[in-house]
Amino acid sequence: MKPIIIGNWKMKLNYQQSKTLAQELANLANPVDTSNNDIVVCPLHSAFLLVKEILKDSGIKMGVQDIFWEESGAFTGCESPKFLADAGCQYAIIGHSERRQYLGETNEWIHKKIKGALDNGIVPILCVGETFSERQQGLTDYIILNQVIKALSGIDLVAGEELVIAYEPVWVIGSGRAIDPAEAEQAFRVIRQAVIDLWPLTIVETNVRIIYGGSIDASNFREFIDLEYFAGFLVGGASLSSQEFWQIIKNI
Ligand code: PGA
């Protein structure tokens, strides 16, 4: 599958900065050739429509950093997958480690969110990864496998539905140092095996992209692009600089 490069803006930009970054990306894209890769940005929900409007002719696709599972109802503060899909959202990050860590996001919620996204035609970007202490205890493969299985078991990915799974070692996120690419490749294998156990190989090969996230920047991304099963990046910090993000996009 063609690689996907996703910018996770987190809660790091204010309104004006979001506008400026979107404008810079629109200028660089002009519009971008999407035959080589897919490019997605995930601003805050509150900046979604603003950024979408600026990027409307750029070829860059829109995503969000979280989503709720119900389409409508008395759920104060939640973001409906149906509403977002109608508003032009094509991707949703689900189960990011910062939400697991600070907001008590559980595997059960993550599973429901994946389902809610898929039911509304939104591509879930499921994030999985181990903490440093889990790695030290030799639990990396187990943690990844467990997170993938809990999120996806019982979901029947069918033709036409896509999924992105981002391996993001928690201890590497925002650290400025990416993981050893060989370790990322090992995680890709574990994830791939887990999804092969769930769905037919043809679906896995055409509809599931496994990507890496965690301190990727313009200086280190090349070390990952030839890894087996590599299909893209989830980029945090480096996606806040239009030039740096574009360096990565242009060279994949
Ligand atoms: P980082 O963030 O690139 O700043 O490490 C990645 C992520 O959290 O998605």
Side-chain angles (χ1 to χ4, degrees):
M1 294 190 81
K2 62 178 170 177
I4 184 164
I5 302 105
I6 303 157
N8 175 9
W9 294 4
K10 307 195 179 185
M11 206 179 72
K12 292 203 171 177
L13 303 178
N14 63 29
Y15 186 81
Q16 188 54 46
Q17 288 165 333
S18 303
K19 199 170 170 177
T20 305
L21 180 56
Q23 195 58 63
E24 288 172 7
L25 290 173
N27 294 341
L28 286 164
N30 189 30
V32 70
D33 176 7
T34 50
S35 53
N36 293 333
N37 48 39
D38 286 321
I39 303 158
V40 181
V41 293
C42 302
L44 290 177
H45 289 103
S46 47
F48 181 87
L49 289 175
L50 166 79
V51 172
K52 187 198 151 211
E53 179 60 24
I54 296 171
L55 294 178
K56 67 174 188 276
D57 299 318
S58 69
I60 299 173
K61 297 174 178 171
M62 292 299 301
V64 287
Q65 300 170 19
D66 180 45
I67 204 164
F68 191 54
W69 54 84
E70 295 287 348
E71 292 178 5
S72 70
F75 301 105
T76 303
C78 296
E79 296 286 344
S80 154
K82 185 167 182 2
F83 185 106
L84 283 164
D86 288 348
C89 175
Q90 290 174 275
Y91 294 85
I93 298 173
I94 296 176
H96 191 281
S97 62
E98 285 150 13
R99 296 193 60 85
R100 292 184 194 252
Q101 209 176 335
Y102 306 129
L103 296 157
E105 187 102 16
T106 64
N107 284 319
E108 191 194 345
W109 286 17
I110 290 164
H111 173 79
K112 289 189 192 177
K113 289 178 177 189
I114 302 260
K115 224 175 153 316
L118 287 171
D119 287 349
N120 286 282
I122 293 175
V123 178
I125 303 160
L126 167 65
C127 298
V128 298
E130 81 288 358
T131 62
F132 190 60
S133 95
E134 287 162 347
R135 173 163 283 265
Q136 279 185 315
Q137 294 170 65
L139 295 173
T140 301
D141 291 1
Y142 167 77
I143 294 291
I144 296 169
L145 196 63
N146 191 45
Q147 288 175 343
V148 171
I149 289 171
K150 293 240 166 78
L152 302 177
S153 286
I155 288 174
D156 191 16
L157 198 71
V158 295
E161 284 181 339
E162 279 179 43
L163 174 72
V164 178
I165 305 177
Y167 169 57
E168 296 209 305
V170 177
W171 50 284
V172 164
I173 293 173
S175 71
R177 279 195 62 188
I179 200 173
D180 178 345
E183 303 284 359
E185 193 169 56
Q186 167 60 15
F188 292 172
R189 278 197 208 106
V190 172
I191 294 168
R192 184 171 158 103
Q193 190 54 52
V195 287
I196 283 178
D197 289 344
L198 291 173
W199 304 312
L201 184 60
T202 46
I203 292 282
V204 171
E205 280 180 342
T206 54
N207 300 20
V208 180
R209 282 184 279 202
I210 304 172
I211 68 174
Y212 172 77
S215 292
I216 278 298
D217 59 31
S219 71
N220 62 19
F221 73 94
R222 288 182 182 81
E223 297 163 28
F224 292 81
I225 56 186
D226 293 326
L227 297 179
E228 192 176 19
Y229 305 130
F230 167 86
F233 291 119
L234 180 52
V235 188
S239 75
L240 303 180
S241 154
S242 56
Q243 292 297 339
E244 186 153 13
F245 192 48
W246 217 254
Q247 276 274 119
I248 301 170
I249 290 163
K250 264 192 344 212
N251 292 291
I252 287 189

